[in-house]
Amino acid sequence: MHDEMLLLFDDCISRLLHLRSRLAATRRVHPGERHATVLAAIAEAEHFATTATATVSPRTASLL
């Protein structure tokens, strides 16, 4: 479980940093692009929470 959690953290952090770079880019953005990026970050965090919960709670994993 320890190694799996580290991989989950690393994956989540990598994805969030990618989304962060999209927000921080000094370029013209399309209307709604930043909003969509924030929603994507929330979705990534939710995915991490669900997957991490299933990893640390075998009973929960069987329900997913």
Side-chain angles (χ1 to χ4, degrees):
M1 175 178 54
H2 174 62
D3 290 340
E4 190 174 353
M5 284 303 301
L6 289 176
L7 288 173
L8 288 173
F9 273 120
D10 290 344
D11 184 54
C12 182
I13 290 168
S14 175
R15 291 172 187 270
L16 290 175
L17 285 173
H18 173 74
L19 291 169
R20 184 192 184 285
S21 71
R22 286 175 40 188
L23 280 177
T26 54
R27 61 178 174 77
R28 290 188 132 190
V29 295
H30 299 288
E33 184 178 345
R34 288 189 176 118
H35 185 257
T37 301
V38 171
L39 292 177
I42 292 167
E44 288 296 339
E46 289 173 338
H47 175 73
F48 170 79
T50 301
T51 308
T53 300
T55 299
V56 299
S57 177
R59 184 178 132 127
T60 303
S62 67
L63 299 175
L64 296 177

